[in-house]
Amino acid sequence: MRTGVITEADTCREYVTPRLVEAGWGTAPHVIGEQRSFTNGRIIVAGGKVQRGKQKRADYLLYYRRDFPLAVVEAKEAGLPAETGVQQAREYAEILGLKFAYATNGLRIIEIDYITGTEREVERYATPNELFARLSDAAQLSEDATPHLLEPFNLVSGKVPRYYQQIAIHRVIEAILQGQDRILATLATGTGKTCVAFQICWKLWNSRWNRTGEYRRPKILFLADRNILVDDPMARMFAPFGDARHKIAGGDVSQGRDMYFGIYQALSTASEDVFRQYRPDFFDLIIIDECHRGSSRDESAWRAVLDYFAPAVQFGMTATPLREESRDTYEYFGNPVYTYSLRQGIEDGFLAPYRVHRVITTVDAAGWRPSKDEIDRYGREVPDEEYQTKDFERVVALRARTRAMARHLSDFLKGTDRFAKTLVFCVDQEHAAEMRQELLNLSSDLVVQYPDYVCRVTADEGAIGLTHLANFQDVDKPTPVILTTSQLLTTGVDAEMVKNVVLARVVGSRSEFKQIVGRGTRLKVDYGKEYFNIIDFTGTATHHFADPDFDGEPARIEEVTIDEAGEQLGVTALEPEPETTETALLEYELREEQIGPGTGVLIEEPPPEPRKFYVDGGEVEVIGHLVYDLDTDGKKLQVVKYTEYSGRTVRALYPTREALQSAWANPDTRSEVLRELTERGISFDELAASSDQGDADPFDLLCHLAWNAPLLTRRQRAELARRKAPDLFAQYGDTAREILSLLLDRYIERGILQFNALSELMKVQPFDRYGNPGEIAARHFGGVRGMKDAVSRLQTALYQ
């Protein structure tokens, strides 16, 4: 029996692991996963610097098969009660979608069973077969269903599905095996819906599941409403299906394959219903990507395809939570079997956080009214009305407004990164063309070397536009940098390097807004893409982020106010635009896009005369500067200064100055204070700059902002410590006192945070002249513990 202090690692090694092995875990195929991290840690942007938050890591994950986890085990050191780990075990089990969890201190075991709703102390861990039997009974799965559920993932690509993808895959397959014929999963844009669909198809295809129970591979249809949504998955993600793949296009209705791909427009053309050449019961499974985009609406022409193939299991995927515009989707498919939100994706560190810049022009702030007898580009008199943001580029096109937006965006890129991939969403194709031209002329110095620096990608560009898009998506190609578009790129564009999403049009639909935001949420850390900007000229972002149910919060929102020369004009608080009621999003999108491969046909013919008024004269400027930050609950946006936000956050974490002082003075608890502040986006460098207090101690700066306490400089604190703690210096020899005095000098220069890396600090001048850190500790402080104690007391003295 070990004597002395037993650490958590000792407890796991000597008690927990042996007892898990006794229960049959760790013997193939029942895997014990130790210290498994299942999130990446949130990306935190503070003071222009990016760092990762803490990962979520389970002490043990117990797998019935390689890809099928059953339980989580949270272990605490033997000296603590087993109950200490219960809350964390529950949290991890719920995140991971597991029905079983254990909390232990090695000596006692507490089992948490979500199926029965019980929590009790047990003598031993359940065996793999016992847990799987309990799970199967609860799910009412027959023994014949087991092979389909446990079929391994296809890992040829080397990418192991993330924890939430695994949950979605297993939930969908379980629903299929339970006999459900309409299934829905909601996963935020950028979280890998295609990966989920592929693994579901692979597991069912490889295990020979089908509706009839025959021993054959299933017939599966992957259905979407755009070629880009089926061509890319078919060529890349679904490549392991090899010759089993077939795309239904141009009347080619081959029936000898297993994995089919198609778009509604090709299945139901103007001349014939191609889909009727297949029997209604031909497909065993139909996967509908972006299913919120019309196919489940009763009145949709595309609904006929799903109705015809009614015998098939139909699985819909969407990034849109339940709202009025997606209610038909939920009524058709039922409630989602799994939901993974944008908020959770950002919190887990799988999606990029975003910073929102609210930019307001003079005409968006106050409206625009034509002058008396104003004539447009075509000699037509512009009706004398008050035009607002929602009218621009729909009813009246103001070239000066487009020019002001382009000038601001160009200056923004010049001040940040001129080669940051940027998507500009305009009202229509004309607007996208004018925006492209303005941006091109403002970037002529780069266009000379890079002719494709700015491109328009809409339906009119056809194959040329698709080439521009492919180059834009290629992380190794520098251009195009800026793409202007209208509706074509709102979905289905997997461009990991998008760093700026620009809203030059009102987006009233929440679902469309979430899709547009999703263009930037993909991470590419190795290429420097760790967060992105939303540059909002129309109030769209401000409006949607104000929705308390919106499930993704920004790191920070800035409302920038500049004039034509890029100079700041002032601060103006404006209310967000009310939500506009748009026509059916789907119909609007299809007016902008080709409806079939090679047809070049638009649903709506161009009008015989210009459909809006074009005003080429006048002057428009950009005005105002506001900063929007999250409240302490991380839900609502409030117009506050960064310093006010920081003070409010400190008060929320530490109700009194004494509570903060107690935690700050102790080096061990100070690290937790720093972690909590950093996770809330508080940077001491940025605070010092914002308050013009570069010499202040971070603790004093926080107290000043939170409770209006007097500010002390670091030098003042050091001198007070020298006067108030003579005993600290008196008990050591001359050299030790000299070293402690040098530490105070270093504190004056660089602050208390230097002490967090004491061993590294002791390796550099002037400390290195006393020897290496080990020698300094041994010769002058009686050992490492003695030196750490002296430095700890020194820090406490600084904050007495």
Side-chain angles (χ1 to χ4, degrees):
M1 174 70 70
R2 169 186 287 270
T3 59
V5 177
I6 299 180
T7 65
E8 184 177 307
D10 295 331
T11 302
C12 290
R13 182 175 58 254
E14 298 185 16
Y15 297 104
V16 183
T17 301
R19 298 194 68 179
L20 286 171
V21 172
E22 287 175 9
W25 301 99
T27 301
H30 312 305
V31 179
I32 298 177
E34 295 188 56
Q35 294 298 312
R36 291 291 176 92
S37 296
F38 54 91
T39 70
N40 283 355
R42 179 175 182 151
I43 291 178
I44 301 163
V45 184
K49 298 178 181 178
V50 178
Q51 60 181 325
R52 284 277 188 182
K54 189 176 180 181
Q55 292 180 313
K56 287 185 170 63
R57 177 180 298 162
D59 291 332
Y60 295 90
L61 281 177
L62 306 181
Y63 293 83
Y64 188 68
R65 293 289 189 270
R66 181 195 71 185
D67 303 322
F68 199 88
L70 279 180
V72 63
V73 180
E74 180 59 30
K76 297 299 179 183
E77 61 191 68
L80 295 174
E83 288 79 3
T84 307
V86 166
Q87 194 56 46
Q88 193 168 346
R90 281 185 170 275
E91 177 190 356
Y92 287 177
E94 290 164 16
I95 292 174
L96 294 169
L98 301 176
K99 297 298 184 183
F100 309 105
Y102 292 94
T104 181
N105 61 358
L107 305 175
R108 295 171 56 231
I109 303 169
I110 297 174
E111 182 185 77
I112 302 158
D113 186 332
Y114 282 88
I115 294 174
T116 60
T118 59
E119 179 179 308
R120 61 195 179 95
E121 186 169 343
V122 294
E123 293 296 321
R124 62 174 180 85
Y125 296 99
T127 67
N129 287 335
E130 287 171 345
L131 283 190
F132 188 74
R134 285 152 68 177
L135 185 68
S136 299
D137 289 344
Q140 297 182 330
L141 294 178
S142 68
E143 193 171 322
D144 293 340
T146 299
H148 309 304
L149 192 63
L150 299 180
E151 178 69 26
F153 295 136
N154 184 304
L155 303 180
V156 172
S157 67
K159 292 184 177 180
V160 179
R162 294 168 175 165
Y163 83 86
Y164 62 86
Q165 294 170 335
Q166 293 187 31
I167 298 172
I169 294 163
H170 291 141
R171 293 266 178 92
V172 171
I173 291 179
E174 184 177 294
I176 291 173
L177 298 176
Q178 289 171 335
Q180 294 186 39
D181 56 6
R182 300 293 181 266
I183 304 164
L184 179 68
T186 303
L187 294 101
T189 300
T191 56
K193 292 191 293 295
T194 306
C195 170
V196 170
F198 165 70
Q199 294 292 354
I200 289 170
C201 293
W202 180 264
K203 284 166 71 75
L204 296 176
W205 185 75
N206 221 36
S207 64
R208 285 178 160 76
W209 166 88
N210 58 73
R211 291 182 303 103
T212 63
E214 303 170 22
Y215 187 72
R216 63 171 175 82
R217 296 191 189 277
K219 302 288 187 182
I220 303 172
L221 172 63
F222 187 96
L223 187 61
D225 64 352
R226 293 182 175 183
N227 282 304
I228 195 171
L229 294 177
V230 297
D231 291 345
D232 187 67
M234 178 178 173
R236 297 168 62 184
M237 183 70 74
F238 284 78
F241 281 93
D243 292 339
R245 294 169 296 168
H246 176 72
K247 183 178 180 183
I248 304 172
D252 184 357
V253 292
S254 170
Q255 298 188 9
R257 308 294 181 88
D258 296 328
M259 190 69 235
Y260 292 80
F261 298 83
I263 61 172
Y264 296 99
Q265 298 93 320
L267 289 173
S268 182
T269 66
S271 59
E272 65 173 327
D273 287 338
V274 176
F275 65 88
R276 296 187 187 278
Q277 298 186 40
Y278 294 90
R279 301 187 318 274
D281 63 351
F282 181 81
F283 293 108
D284 297 284
L285 172 66
I286 298 178
I287 296 178
I288 305 98
D289 194 15
E290 306 293 356
C291 65
H292 66 280
R293 289 165 50 83
S295 57
S296 55
R297 294 189 182 121
D298 288 333
E299 71 277 10
S300 169
W302 297 346
R303 176 69 171 268
V305 176
L306 298 185
D307 288 342
Y308 181 79
F309 292 119
V313 175
Q314 297 179 11
F315 165 46
M317 300 188 298
T318 180
T320 308
L322 178 59
R323 294 286 190 270
E324 287 305 317
E325 65 261 34
S326 60
R327 189 168 298 281
D328 287 339
T329 303
Y330 284 71
E331 289 178 353
Y332 182 80
F333 289 102
N335 289 324
V337 295
Y338 183 64
T339 296
Y340 188 74
S341 68
L342 177 61
R343 180 195 298 271
Q344 192 62 52
I346 293 174
E347 184 65 32
D348 288 343
F350 295 126
L351 296 180
Y354 44 93
R355 175 172 285 180
V356 181
H357 305 260
R358 173 68 174 103
V359 185
I360 305 173
T361 71
T362 50
V363 293
D364 289 279
W368 179 81
R369 188 173 183 177
S371 58
K372 183 176 175 58
D373 300 325
E374 176 131 19
I375 303 299
D376 84 339
R377 184 186 302 166
Y378 297 98
R380 299 173 300 169
E381 184 174 337
V382 181
D384 184 14
E385 297 179 15
E386 191 78 37
Y387 297 96
Q388 305 295 332
T389 300
K390 67 182 183 300
D391 303 314
F392 299 137
E393 302 303 327
R394 297 186 187 277
V395 180
V396 60
L398 302 179
R399 189 65 183 253
R401 177 176 178 264
T402 299
R403 188 176 299 116
M405 290 178 176
R407 184 180 299 108
H408 174 75
L409 176 58
S410 178
D411 290 343
F412 178 84
L413 292 174
K414 289 175 182 177
T416 52
D417 177 5
R418 296 190 75 183
F419 284 88
K421 295 296 179 79
T422 302
L423 283 175
V424 185
F425 290 94
C426 303
V427 173
D428 55 24
Q429 298 195 54
E430 284 183 322
H431 190 209
E434 289 192 353
M435 184 67 75
R436 185 202 69 85
Q437 186 179 83
E438 295 291 347
L439 288 167
L440 183 143
N441 290 332
L442 290 165
S443 309
S444 57
D445 58 326
L446 287 178
V447 174
V448 170
Q449 184 176 357
Y450 302 100
D452 293 336
Y453 180 77
V454 187
C455 296
R456 184 182 77 154
V457 176
T458 62
D460 282 354
E461 277 74 38
I464 295 175
L466 294 179
T467 300
H468 289 324
L469 177 58
N471 292 336
F472 181 83
Q473 292 172 294
D474 191 331
V475 295
D476 293 318
K477 291 187 177 179
T479 60
V481 171
I482 305 173
L483 293 187
T484 66
T485 187
S486 53
Q487 299 283 342
L488 190 60
L489 305 183
T490 54
T491 61
V493 179
D494 187 4
E496 297 167 302
M497 286 305 295
V498 172
K499 291 187 176 180
N500 300 306
V501 173
V502 182
L503 297 171
R505 65 176 171 91
V506 173
V507 184
S509 163
R510 289 189 185 94
S511 61
E512 187 190 13
F513 176 67
K514 292 176 79 69
Q515 294 284 352
I516 288 175
V517 169
R519 298 313 100 210
T521 54
R522 288 168 174 83
L523 281 169
K524 197 68 176 174
V525 176
D526 50 339
Y527 278 76
K529 163 69 184 302
E530 295 172 300
Y531 69 97
F532 70 105
N533 298 295
I534 299 173
I535 303 171
D536 178 18
F537 288 100
T538 64
T540 290
T542 307
H543 169 76
H544 286 298
F545 291 145
D547 177 1
D549 295 326
F550 188 81
D551 65 347
E553 68 270 24
R556 193 163 160 201
I557 297 187
E558 296 179 350
E559 187 164 272
V560 182
T561 305
I562 62 172
D563 60 18
E564 289 185 304
E567 298 295 326
Q568 180 176 323
L569 293 179
V571 177
T572 307
L574 297 173
E575 294 296 322
E577 291 286 337
E579 182 171 354
T580 60
T581 303
E582 298 184 347
T583 57
L585 170 63
L586 192 59
E587 296 173 5
Y588 184 85
E589 288 172 340
L590 287 178
R591 288 203 298 270
E592 297 290 322
E593 150 173 31
Q594 291 171 315
I595 63 170
T599 64
V601 176
L602 296 180
I603 284 180
E604 184 178 281
E605 292 295 324
E609 63 180 40
R611 58 189 174 87
K612 55 188 173 183
F613 296 96
Y614 299 83
V615 178
D616 295 332
E619 292 292 330
V620 176
E621 297 179 356
V622 173
I623 58 171
H625 189 159
L626 290 176
V627 177
Y628 287 67
D629 279 300
L630 293 171
D631 64 7
T632 53
D633 293 328
K635 294 181 180 179
K636 296 180 181 178
L637 295 169
Q638 295 184 347
V639 184
V640 294
K641 293 181 180 178
Y642 182 58
T643 50
E644 292 173 357
Y645 165 75
S646 301
R648 193 175 62 233
T649 301
V650 170
R651 289 194 301 272
L653 292 171
Y654 301 94
T656 65
R657 183 181 184 279
E658 290 70 27
L660 175 62
Q661 182 173 7
S662 175
W664 187 271
N666 186 329
D668 296 329
T669 55
R670 188 189 311 129
S671 60
E672 180 65 16
V673 177
L674 295 172
R675 184 190 66 78
E676 289 181 329
L677 294 176
T678 301
E679 286 186 351
R680 287 158 177 80
I682 295 176
S683 159
F684 290 117
D685 290 339
E686 189 169 346
L687 270 182
S690 300
S691 56
D692 196 25
Q693 299 291 342
D695 292 335
D697 183 276
F699 169 76
D700 289 297
L701 192 53
L702 293 175
C703 291
H704 178 68
L705 296 174
W707 298 286
N708 200 30
L711 270 172
L712 294 178
T713 65
R714 293 192 296 273
R715 182 174 298 279
Q716 288 172 321
R717 278 212 168 271
E719 293 306 321
L720 285 171
R722 283 190 171 101
R723 291 200 301 268
K724 290 183 177 180
D727 293 343
L728 175 64
F729 289 84
Q731 67 180 347
Y732 297 106
D734 292 342
T735 304
R737 290 199 300 271
E738 191 175 325
I739 291 170
L740 292 173
S741 183
L742 286 172
L743 282 172
L744 280 176
D745 291 338
R746 180 55 60 94
Y747 159 75
I748 293 171
E749 295 173 13
R750 303 189 181 181
I752 195 69
L753 303 185
Q754 293 288 309
F755 293 169
N756 291 346
L758 185 61
S759 60
E760 295 301 316
L761 181 63
M762 290 293 183
K763 293 178 183 177
V764 300
Q765 293 181 347
F767 303 99
D768 57 349
R769 68 171 180 255
Y770 299 102
N772 61 44
E775 292 170 342
I776 293 174
R779 294 173 183 171
H780 307 295
F781 294 93
V784 173
R785 184 179 295 275
M787 184 172 73
K788 287 184 176 179
D789 180 63
V791 175
S792 178
R793 293 177 63 195
L794 175 64
Q795 295 178 68
T796 301
L798 280 168
Y799 298 103
Q800 284 181 344

